[in-house]
Amino acid sequence: MSSKELIYQAAAKLFKEKGYAATSMRELALQVGIEASSLYNHIKSKEEILQEICLRNAGKFTDGMKIIQENSNLNALQKLESIIRLHVQIASDDISSVTVFNDEWKHLKEPALSDFLKLRIQYEQSVKSIIQEGIEKELLKKVDIEVALFSFLTSLRWIHYKFAKGRISSDRLTENLKNILIFGLAKS
Amino acid sequence: MSSKELIYQAAAKLFKEKGYAATSMRELALQVGIEASSLYNHIKSKEEILQEICLRNAGKFTDGMKIIQENSNLNALQKLESIIRLHVQIASDDISSVTVFNDEWKHLKEPALSDFLKLRIQYEQSVKSIIQEGIEKELLKKVDIEVALFSFLTSLRWIHYKFAKGRISSDRLTENLKNILIFGLAKS
């Protein structure tokens, strides 16, 4: 692993534990095991690290969504299921990194903040059009799309909080979320 | 309305807009329209206000849950629907207050923090036993209870963010959340 990558990983861990604002470059150097001054041979600033973490995770979601959208074999229900799997996968891949992406993005500075928000809006738009498609094809109930979008993504956005400790396997979590979010709690 | 009540309302508005930590007693006095020194004739400290706001909202949820649980006419599905209605109602009653309750409780000091967390755990436990009851009576699917609890409450916990602006009526929001959270997005 490159020094830069080691720094990103250590930073994600610290930002997750203490929050971005409360983490100093000195602590980061200590965590990586190098001199604080040497940090700057690899990265420009704390901001740069946050940017990299947030945009890298946003990229994972955007790329995953692109694959789902372009797969013409999937109907809207299967696309929603694939989105659930994508979120579970990314959350379990690198819990520190996804927590920072989720909780600390507000500290991004311009123009990174605008880039980030743009990707987020695009992502929500994609989920929305899948829900819309599902309603049109009569695979989904005629629900209010904003409420459906909100409820679906809110549940997925916080899974790393609750299910980080390996209490449940990724497959079992995906299967349960699919049942609950798409097919409902009620026994039909 | 009593002076104390006016102070709570002004404080909830400020805490919501600026966050608890960033709000000064001076700003609060300005918002209420009295001298900063007069504030202390009515309340002891900023902490006291936060405590009152958080415990008052926790009380609304606890009382609402008690009524739902004690209503033996309701089956588990109807109880879950009543919980959705309770959340929508409390969120639309007083959006500032419920936002502070939801976002700023971490600033509570002991023993208020422990009291608050105890009520929260009791509340989650109540929802959990309703889900459990629903599964036992075969009204709900055999889902993982922790995933169901998490997904159900996470969606409800954030509705004030998205639906504060009267975009959708309380009845319509409740109806949609019921459809989505209990009966699922998929058309059966």
Side-chain angles (χ1 to χ4, degrees), chain A residues 14-47:
Chain A
L14 282 173
F15 293 171
K16 173 175 176 258
E17 281 162 16
K18 305 176 51 113
Y20 172 75
T23 301
S24 71
M25 288 297 264
R26 187 177 295 271
E27 286 167 299
L28 176 55
L30 203 70
Q31 176 87 16
V32 181
I34 58 176
E35 293 290 322
S37 57
S38 311
L39 265 186
Y40 294 99
N41 296 333
H42 305 287
I43 48 105
K44 266 186 282 182
S45 61
K46 202 167 80 158
E47 285 79 21

PDB file of all heavy atoms in Angstrom, chain A residues 14-47:
ATOM      1  N   LEU A  14      -9.405   8.060  12.205  1.00  0.00           N
ATOM      2  CA  LEU A  14      -9.440   9.162  13.176  1.00  0.00           C
ATOM      3  C   LEU A  14     -10.665  10.048  12.985  1.00  0.00           C
ATOM      4  O   LEU A  14     -11.327  10.430  13.950  1.00  0.00           O
ATOM      5  CB  LEU A  14      -8.172  10.021  13.050  1.00  0.00           C
ATOM      6  CG  LEU A  14      -6.904   9.451  13.698  1.00  0.00           C
ATOM      7  CD1 LEU A  14      -5.706  10.317  13.346  1.00  0.00           C
ATOM      8  CD2 LEU A  14      -7.076   9.388  15.214  1.00  0.00           C
ATOM      9  N   PHE A  15     -10.967  10.398  11.741  1.00  0.00           N
ATOM     10  CA  PHE A  15     -12.135  11.264  11.471  1.00  0.00           C
ATOM     11  C   PHE A  15     -13.402  10.577  11.972  1.00  0.00           C
ATOM     12  O   PHE A  15     -14.310  11.215  12.485  1.00  0.00           O
ATOM     13  CB  PHE A  15     -12.295  11.553   9.975  1.00  0.00           C
ATOM     14  CG  PHE A  15     -11.201  12.384   9.361  1.00  0.00           C
ATOM     15  CD1 PHE A  15     -11.127  12.558   7.968  1.00  0.00           C
ATOM     16  CD2 PHE A  15     -10.238  13.008  10.144  1.00  0.00           C
ATOM     17  CE1 PHE A  15     -10.138  13.334   7.386  1.00  0.00           C
ATOM     18  CE2 PHE A  15      -9.223  13.784   9.568  1.00  0.00           C
ATOM     19  CZ  PHE A  15      -9.173  13.936   8.179  1.00  0.00           C
ATOM     20  N   LYS A  16     -13.455   9.274  11.798  1.00  0.00           N
ATOM     21  CA  LYS A  16     -14.637   8.531  12.259  1.00  0.00           C
ATOM     22  C   LYS A  16     -14.748   8.583  13.781  1.00  0.00           C
ATOM     23  O   LYS A  16     -15.820   8.820  14.334  1.00  0.00           O
ATOM     24  CB  LYS A  16     -14.556   7.076  11.789  1.00  0.00           C
ATOM     25  CG  LYS A  16     -15.660   6.199  12.381  1.00  0.00           C
ATOM     26  CD  LYS A  16     -15.641   4.798  11.817  1.00  0.00           C
ATOM     27  CE  LYS A  16     -16.671   3.927  12.498  1.00  0.00           C
ATOM     28  NZ  LYS A  16     -16.127   3.015  13.497  1.00  0.00           N
ATOM     29  N   GLU A  17     -13.612   8.364  14.449  1.00  0.00           N
ATOM     30  CA  GLU A  17     -13.645   8.285  15.919  1.00  0.00           C
ATOM     31  C   GLU A  17     -13.833   9.640  16.587  1.00  0.00           C
ATOM     32  O   GLU A  17     -14.591   9.776  17.537  1.00  0.00           O
ATOM     33  CB  GLU A  17     -12.358   7.639  16.435  1.00  0.00           C
ATOM     34  CG  GLU A  17     -12.385   6.125  16.306  1.00  0.00           C
ATOM     35  CD  GLU A  17     -10.988   5.509  16.383  1.00  0.00           C
ATOM     36  OE1 GLU A  17     -10.049   6.198  16.826  1.00  0.00           O
ATOM     37  OE2 GLU A  17     -10.842   4.346  15.968  1.00  0.00           O
ATOM     38  N   LYS A  18     -13.101  10.657  16.080  1.00  0.00           N
ATOM     39  CA  LYS A  18     -13.090  11.955  16.767  1.00  0.00           C
ATOM     40  C   LYS A  18     -13.858  13.039  16.029  1.00  0.00           C
ATOM     41  O   LYS A  18     -14.076  14.128  16.573  1.00  0.00           O
ATOM     42  CB  LYS A  18     -11.649  12.448  16.926  1.00  0.00           C
ATOM     43  CG  LYS A  18     -10.729  11.476  17.616  1.00  0.00           C
ATOM     44  CD  LYS A  18      -9.297  12.016  17.647  1.00  0.00           C
ATOM     45  CE  LYS A  18      -9.224  13.410  18.173  1.00  0.00           C
ATOM     46  NZ  LYS A  18      -8.530  13.551  19.460  1.00  0.00           N
ATOM     47  N   GLY A  19     -14.214  12.768  14.778  1.00  0.00           N
ATOM     48  CA  GLY A  19     -14.786  13.822  13.935  1.00  0.00           C
ATOM     49  C   GLY A  19     -13.670  14.534  13.190  1.00  0.00           C
ATOM     50  O   GLY A  19     -12.538  14.624  13.683  1.00  0.00           O
ATOM     51  N   TYR A  20     -13.973  15.030  12.014  1.00  0.00           N
ATOM     52  CA  TYR A  20     -12.976  15.709  11.174  1.00  0.00           C
ATOM     53  C   TYR A  20     -12.401  16.935  11.878  1.00  0.00           C
ATOM     54  O   TYR A  20     -11.186  17.115  11.961  1.00  0.00           O
ATOM     55  CB  TYR A  20     -13.640  16.132   9.862  1.00  0.00           C
ATOM     56  CG  TYR A  20     -12.765  17.013   8.986  1.00  0.00           C
ATOM     57  CD1 TYR A  20     -11.698  16.467   8.275  1.00  0.00           C
ATOM     58  CD2 TYR A  20     -13.015  18.377   8.875  1.00  0.00           C
ATOM     59  CE1 TYR A  20     -10.891  17.271   7.476  1.00  0.00           C
ATOM     60  CE2 TYR A  20     -12.214  19.185   8.074  1.00  0.00           C
ATOM     61  CZ  TYR A  20     -11.161  18.623   7.378  1.00  0.00           C
ATOM     62  OH  TYR A  20     -10.374  19.408   6.597  1.00  0.00           O
ATOM     63  N   ALA A  21     -13.301  17.785  12.414  1.00  0.00           N
ATOM     64  CA  ALA A  21     -12.863  19.064  12.983  1.00  0.00           C
ATOM     65  C   ALA A  21     -11.897  18.863  14.151  1.00  0.00           C
ATOM     66  O   ALA A  21     -10.948  19.628  14.316  1.00  0.00           O
ATOM     67  CB  ALA A  21     -14.073  19.880  13.428  1.00  0.00           C
ATOM     68  N   ALA A  22     -12.118  17.821  14.943  1.00  0.00           N
ATOM     69  CA  ALA A  22     -11.328  17.629  16.163  1.00  0.00           C
ATOM     70  C   ALA A  22     -10.017  16.880  15.928  1.00  0.00           C
ATOM     71  O   ALA A  22      -9.222  16.697  16.843  1.00  0.00           O
ATOM     72  CB  ALA A  22     -12.173  16.889  17.199  1.00  0.00           C
ATOM     73  N   THR A  23      -9.784  16.427  14.689  1.00  0.00           N
ATOM     74  CA  THR A  23      -8.566  15.660  14.408  1.00  0.00           C
ATOM     75  C   THR A  23      -7.442  16.593  13.929  1.00  0.00           C
ATOM     76  O   THR A  23      -7.646  17.379  13.015  1.00  0.00           O
ATOM     77  CB  THR A  23      -8.835  14.598  13.317  1.00  0.00           C
ATOM     78  OG1 THR A  23      -9.867  13.727  13.761  1.00  0.00           O
ATOM     79  CG2 THR A  23      -7.587  13.790  13.010  1.00  0.00           C
ATOM     80  N   SER A  24      -6.278  16.490  14.573  1.00  0.00           N
ATOM     81  CA  SER A  24      -5.150  17.345  14.142  1.00  0.00           C
ATOM     82  C   SER A  24      -4.186  16.558  13.259  1.00  0.00           C
ATOM     83  O   SER A  24      -4.145  15.327  13.297  1.00  0.00           O
ATOM     84  CB  SER A  24      -4.397  17.873  15.357  1.00  0.00           C
ATOM     85  OG  SER A  24      -3.685  16.814  15.961  1.00  0.00           O
ATOM     86  N   MET A  25      -3.414  17.300  12.459  1.00  0.00           N
ATOM     87  CA  MET A  25      -2.426  16.663  11.587  1.00  0.00           C
ATOM     88  C   MET A  25      -1.365  15.959  12.439  1.00  0.00           C
ATOM     89  O   MET A  25      -0.805  14.945  12.025  1.00  0.00           O
ATOM     90  CB  MET A  25      -1.787  17.721  10.689  1.00  0.00           C
ATOM     91  CG  MET A  25      -2.731  18.240   9.604  1.00  0.00           C
ATOM     92  SD  MET A  25      -3.262  16.957   8.423  1.00  0.00           S
ATOM     93  CE  MET A  25      -2.074  17.241   7.085  1.00  0.00           C
ATOM     94  N   ARG A  26      -1.110  16.494  13.615  1.00  0.00           N
ATOM     95  CA  ARG A  26      -0.147  15.866  14.528  1.00  0.00           C
ATOM     96  C   ARG A  26      -0.624  14.457  14.935  1.00  0.00           C
ATOM     97  O   ARG A  26       0.149  13.500  14.884  1.00  0.00           O
ATOM     98  CB  ARG A  26      -0.011  16.748  15.769  1.00  0.00           C
ATOM     99  CG  ARG A  26       1.068  16.325  16.741  1.00  0.00           C
ATOM    100  CD  ARG A  26       1.131  17.325  17.890  1.00  0.00           C
ATOM    101  NE  ARG A  26       1.559  18.643  17.432  1.00  0.00           N
ATOM    102  CZ  ARG A  26       2.838  19.036  17.363  1.00  0.00           C
ATOM    103  NH1 ARG A  26       3.796  18.213  17.717  1.00  0.00           N
ATOM    104  NH2 ARG A  26       3.155  20.247  16.946  1.00  0.00           N
ATOM    105  N   GLU A  27      -1.902  14.360  15.301  1.00  0.00           N
ATOM    106  CA  GLU A  27      -2.456  13.043  15.666  1.00  0.00           C
ATOM    107  C   GLU A  27      -2.420  12.088  14.481  1.00  0.00           C
ATOM    108  O   GLU A  27      -2.161  10.894  14.640  1.00  0.00           O
ATOM    109  CB  GLU A  27      -3.923  13.178  16.104  1.00  0.00           C
ATOM    110  CG  GLU A  27      -4.120  13.789  17.469  1.00  0.00           C
ATOM    111  CD  GLU A  27      -5.569  14.181  17.692  1.00  0.00           C
ATOM    112  OE1 GLU A  27      -6.090  15.042  16.928  1.00  0.00           O
ATOM    113  OE2 GLU A  27      -6.187  13.636  18.599  1.00  0.00           O
ATOM    114  N   LEU A  28      -2.688  12.649  13.313  1.00  0.00           N
ATOM    115  CA  LEU A  28      -2.682  11.817  12.115  1.00  0.00           C
ATOM    116  C   LEU A  28      -1.279  11.243  11.873  1.00  0.00           C
ATOM    117  O   LEU A  28      -1.123  10.040  11.613  1.00  0.00           O
ATOM    118  CB  LEU A  28      -3.163  12.632  10.900  1.00  0.00           C
ATOM    119  CG  LEU A  28      -3.125  11.915   9.559  1.00  0.00           C
ATOM    120  CD1 LEU A  28      -3.899  10.599   9.599  1.00  0.00           C
ATOM    121  CD2 LEU A  28      -3.677  12.813   8.444  1.00  0.00           C
ATOM    122  N   ALA A  29      -0.269  12.108  12.011  1.00  0.00           N
ATOM    123  CA  ALA A  29       1.124  11.658  11.824  1.00  0.00           C
ATOM    124  C   ALA A  29       1.448  10.550  12.826  1.00  0.00           C
ATOM    125  O   ALA A  29       2.050   9.521  12.469  1.00  0.00           O
ATOM    126  CB  ALA A  29       2.074  12.837  11.994  1.00  0.00           C
ATOM    127  N   LEU A  30       1.030  10.738  14.070  1.00  0.00           N
ATOM    128  CA  LEU A  30       1.262   9.754  15.124  1.00  0.00           C
ATOM    129  C   LEU A  30       0.621   8.414  14.758  1.00  0.00           C
ATOM    130  O   LEU A  30       1.215   7.350  14.925  1.00  0.00           O
ATOM    131  CB  LEU A  30       0.653  10.283  16.429  1.00  0.00           C
ATOM    132  CG  LEU A  30       1.212   9.717  17.733  1.00  0.00           C
ATOM    133  CD1 LEU A  30       2.635  10.218  17.952  1.00  0.00           C
ATOM    134  CD2 LEU A  30       0.335  10.145  18.917  1.00  0.00           C
ATOM    135  N   GLN A  31      -0.596   8.493  14.260  1.00  0.00           N
ATOM    136  CA  GLN A  31      -1.340   7.284  13.879  1.00  0.00           C
ATOM    137  C   GLN A  31      -0.642   6.547  12.727  1.00  0.00           C
ATOM    138  O   GLN A  31      -0.573   5.323  12.715  1.00  0.00           O
ATOM    139  CB  GLN A  31      -2.762   7.689  13.466  1.00  0.00           C
ATOM    140  CG  GLN A  31      -3.643   6.568  12.952  1.00  0.00           C
ATOM    141  CD  GLN A  31      -4.384   5.845  14.086  1.00  0.00           C
ATOM    142  OE1 GLN A  31      -4.485   6.324  15.196  1.00  0.00           O
ATOM    143  NE2 GLN A  31      -4.863   4.656  13.793  1.00  0.00           N
ATOM    144  N   VAL A  32      -0.130   7.338  11.757  1.00  0.00           N
ATOM    145  CA  VAL A  32       0.552   6.725  10.603  1.00  0.00           C
ATOM    146  C   VAL A  32       1.931   6.230  11.027  1.00  0.00           C
ATOM    147  O   VAL A  32       2.470   5.274  10.464  1.00  0.00           O
ATOM    148  CB  VAL A  32       0.663   7.730   9.433  1.00  0.00           C
ATOM    149  CG1 VAL A  32       1.337   7.097   8.216  1.00  0.00           C
ATOM    150  CG2 VAL A  32      -0.706   8.271   9.042  1.00  0.00           C
ATOM    151  N   GLY A  33       2.513   6.884  12.027  1.00  0.00           N
ATOM    152  CA  GLY A  33       3.844   6.517  12.491  1.00  0.00           C
ATOM    153  C   GLY A  33       4.961   7.257  11.759  1.00  0.00           C
ATOM    154  O   GLY A  33       6.025   6.691  11.518  1.00  0.00           O
ATOM    155  N   ILE A  34       4.689   8.492  11.342  1.00  0.00           N
ATOM    156  CA  ILE A  34       5.732   9.313  10.712  1.00  0.00           C
ATOM    157  C   ILE A  34       5.748  10.692  11.369  1.00  0.00           C
ATOM    158  O   ILE A  34       4.849  11.023  12.143  1.00  0.00           O
ATOM    159  CB  ILE A  34       5.535   9.470   9.172  1.00  0.00           C
ATOM    160  CG1 ILE A  34       4.164  10.096   8.869  1.00  0.00           C
ATOM    161  CG2 ILE A  34       5.684   8.134   8.473  1.00  0.00           C
ATOM    162  CD1 ILE A  34       3.926  10.372   7.399  1.00  0.00           C
ATOM    163  N   GLU A  35       6.769  11.491  11.047  1.00  0.00           N
ATOM    164  CA  GLU A  35       6.840  12.866  11.558  1.00  0.00           C
ATOM    165  C   GLU A  35       5.729  13.706  10.923  1.00  0.00           C
ATOM    166  O   GLU A  35       5.402  13.513   9.746  1.00  0.00           O
ATOM    167  CB  GLU A  35       8.189  13.508  11.173  1.00  0.00           C
ATOM    168  CG  GLU A  35       9.401  12.889  11.832  1.00  0.00           C
ATOM    169  CD  GLU A  35       9.463  13.198  13.328  1.00  0.00           C
ATOM    170  OE1 GLU A  35       9.104  14.336  13.715  1.00  0.00           O
ATOM    171  OE2 GLU A  35       9.835  12.297  14.109  1.00  0.00           O
ATOM    172  N   ALA A  36       5.189  14.647  11.711  1.00  0.00           N
ATOM    173  CA  ALA A  36       4.137  15.514  11.174  1.00  0.00           C
ATOM    174  C   ALA A  36       4.615  16.229   9.907  1.00  0.00           C
ATOM    175  O   ALA A  36       3.864  16.349   8.926  1.00  0.00           O
ATOM    176  CB  ALA A  36       3.711  16.532  12.217  1.00  0.00           C
ATOM    177  N   SER A  37       5.861  16.658   9.915  1.00  0.00           N
ATOM    178  CA  SER A  37       6.369  17.396   8.747  1.00  0.00           C
ATOM    179  C   SER A  37       6.429  16.502   7.492  1.00  0.00           C
ATOM    180  O   SER A  37       6.271  16.979   6.373  1.00  0.00           O
ATOM    181  CB  SER A  37       7.744  17.979   9.053  1.00  0.00           C
ATOM    182  OG  SER A  37       8.616  16.930   9.431  1.00  0.00           O
ATOM    183  N   SER A  38       6.646  15.199   7.713  1.00  0.00           N
ATOM    184  CA  SER A  38       6.721  14.290   6.552  1.00  0.00           C
ATOM    185  C   SER A  38       5.362  14.069   5.894  1.00  0.00           C
ATOM    186  O   SER A  38       5.291  13.711   4.712  1.00  0.00           O
ATOM    187  CB  SER A  38       7.260  12.919   6.972  1.00  0.00           C
ATOM    188  OG  SER A  38       8.418  13.045   7.736  1.00  0.00           O
ATOM    189  N   LEU A  39       4.295  14.256   6.684  1.00  0.00           N
ATOM    190  CA  LEU A  39       2.952  14.106   6.120  1.00  0.00           C
ATOM    191  C   LEU A  39       2.813  14.928   4.850  1.00  0.00           C
ATOM    192  O   LEU A  39       2.234  14.481   3.858  1.00  0.00           O
ATOM    193  CB  LEU A  39       1.900  14.605   7.119  1.00  0.00           C
ATOM    194  CG  LEU A  39       1.209  13.628   8.060  1.00  0.00           C
ATOM    195  CD1 LEU A  39       0.128  14.364   8.826  1.00  0.00           C
ATOM    196  CD2 LEU A  39       0.615  12.458   7.289  1.00  0.00           C
ATOM    197  N   TYR A  40       3.372  16.146   4.927  1.00  0.00           N
ATOM    198  CA  TYR A  40       3.191  17.087   3.819  1.00  0.00           C
ATOM    199  C   TYR A  40       3.983  16.723   2.565  1.00  0.00           C
ATOM    200  O   TYR A  40       3.842  17.349   1.533  1.00  0.00           O
ATOM    201  CB  TYR A  40       3.497  18.512   4.289  1.00  0.00           C
ATOM    202  CG  TYR A  40       2.496  18.978   5.327  1.00  0.00           C
ATOM    203  CD1 TYR A  40       2.801  18.925   6.683  1.00  0.00           C
ATOM    204  CD2 TYR A  40       1.229  19.416   4.946  1.00  0.00           C
ATOM    205  CE1 TYR A  40       1.880  19.323   7.641  1.00  0.00           C
ATOM    206  CE2 TYR A  40       0.298  19.809   5.899  1.00  0.00           C
ATOM    207  CZ  TYR A  40       0.628  19.759   7.250  1.00  0.00           C
ATOM    208  OH  TYR A  40      -0.288  20.141   8.190  1.00  0.00           O
ATOM    209  N   ASN A  41       4.838  15.696   2.670  1.00  0.00           N
ATOM    210  CA  ASN A  41       5.457  15.174   1.437  1.00  0.00           C
ATOM    211  C   ASN A  41       4.440  14.393   0.616  1.00  0.00           C
ATOM    212  O   ASN A  41       4.624  14.174  -0.582  1.00  0.00           O
ATOM    213  CB  ASN A  41       6.625  14.240   1.778  1.00  0.00           C
ATOM    214  CG  ASN A  41       7.745  14.980   2.480  1.00  0.00           C
ATOM    215  OD1 ASN A  41       7.908  16.195   2.279  1.00  0.00           O
ATOM    216  ND2 ASN A  41       8.500  14.268   3.313  1.00  0.00           N
ATOM    217  N   HIS A  42       3.385  13.946   1.307  1.00  0.00           N
ATOM    218  CA  HIS A  42       2.425  13.065   0.628  1.00  0.00           C
ATOM    219  C   HIS A  42       1.092  13.743   0.330  1.00  0.00           C
ATOM    220  O   HIS A  42       0.462  13.457  -0.675  1.00  0.00           O
ATOM    221  CB  HIS A  42       2.179  11.814   1.473  1.00  0.00           C
ATOM    222  CG  HIS A  42       3.433  11.090   1.821  1.00  0.00           C
ATOM    223  ND1 HIS A  42       4.140  10.354   0.894  1.00  0.00           N
ATOM    224  CD2 HIS A  42       4.134  11.012   2.977  1.00  0.00           C
ATOM    225  CE1 HIS A  42       5.204   9.837   1.471  1.00  0.00           C
ATOM    226  NE2 HIS A  42       5.232  10.227   2.740  1.00  0.00           N
ATOM    227  N   ILE A  43       0.683  14.593   1.246  1.00  0.00           N
ATOM    228  CA  ILE A  43      -0.612  15.247   1.046  1.00  0.00           C
ATOM    229  C   ILE A  43      -0.493  16.732   1.373  1.00  0.00           C
ATOM    230  O   ILE A  43       0.367  17.152   2.147  1.00  0.00           O
ATOM    231  CB  ILE A  43      -1.716  14.607   1.928  1.00  0.00           C
ATOM    232  CG1 ILE A  43      -1.228  14.447   3.385  1.00  0.00           C
ATOM    233  CG2 ILE A  43      -2.177  13.287   1.402  1.00  0.00           C
ATOM    234  CD1 ILE A  43      -1.798  15.428   4.317  1.00  0.00           C
ATOM    235  N   LYS A  44      -1.407  17.525   0.780  1.00  0.00           N
ATOM    236  CA  LYS A  44      -1.302  18.966   0.930  1.00  0.00           C
ATOM    237  C   LYS A  44      -1.919  19.466   2.238  1.00  0.00           C
ATOM    238  O   LYS A  44      -1.411  20.379   2.866  1.00  0.00           O
ATOM    239  CB  LYS A  44      -1.998  19.659  -0.260  1.00  0.00           C
ATOM    240  CG  LYS A  44      -1.038  20.006  -1.410  1.00  0.00           C
ATOM    241  CD  LYS A  44      -1.738  20.812  -2.484  1.00  0.00           C
ATOM    242  CE  LYS A  44      -2.583  19.879  -3.333  1.00  0.00           C
ATOM    243  NZ  LYS A  44      -3.299  20.448  -4.435  1.00  0.00           N
ATOM    244  N   SER A  45      -3.057  18.878   2.619  1.00  0.00           N
ATOM    245  CA  SER A  45      -3.792  19.420   3.760  1.00  0.00           C
ATOM    246  C   SER A  45      -4.815  18.412   4.264  1.00  0.00           C
ATOM    247  O   SER A  45      -5.099  17.411   3.592  1.00  0.00           O
ATOM    248  CB  SER A  45      -4.531  20.686   3.323  1.00  0.00           C
ATOM    249  OG  SER A  45      -5.449  20.344   2.287  1.00  0.00           O
ATOM    250  N   LYS A  46      -5.372  18.697   5.437  1.00  0.00           N
ATOM    251  CA  LYS A  46      -6.437  17.877   5.995  1.00  0.00           C
ATOM    252  C   LYS A  46      -7.638  17.911   5.046  1.00  0.00           C
ATOM    253  O   LYS A  46      -8.302  16.897   4.823  1.00  0.00           O
ATOM    254  CB  LYS A  46      -6.814  18.426   7.381  1.00  0.00           C
ATOM    255  CG  LYS A  46      -7.499  17.450   8.286  1.00  0.00           C
ATOM    256  CD  LYS A  46      -7.558  17.940   9.752  1.00  0.00           C
ATOM    257  CE  LYS A  46      -8.673  18.933   9.938  1.00  0.00           C
ATOM    258  NZ  LYS A  46      -9.140  19.057  11.359  1.00  0.00           N
ATOM    259  N   GLU A  47      -7.911  19.104   4.490  1.00  0.00           N
ATOM    260  CA  GLU A  47      -9.019  19.245   3.528  1.00  0.00           C
ATOM    261  C   GLU A  47      -8.873  18.263   2.370  1.00  0.00           C
ATOM    262  O   GLU A  47      -9.840  17.652   1.927  1.00  0.00           O
ATOM    263  CB  GLU A  47      -9.087  20.660   2.930  1.00  0.00           C
ATOM    264  CG  GLU A  47      -9.637  21.734   3.842  1.00  0.00           C
ATOM    265  CD  GLU A  47      -8.599  22.226   4.854  1.00  0.00           C
ATOM    266  OE1 GLU A  47      -7.391  22.045   4.606  1.00  0.00           O
ATOM    267  OE2 GLU A  47      -9.005  22.737   5.903  1.00  0.00           O
TER     268      GLU A  47
END
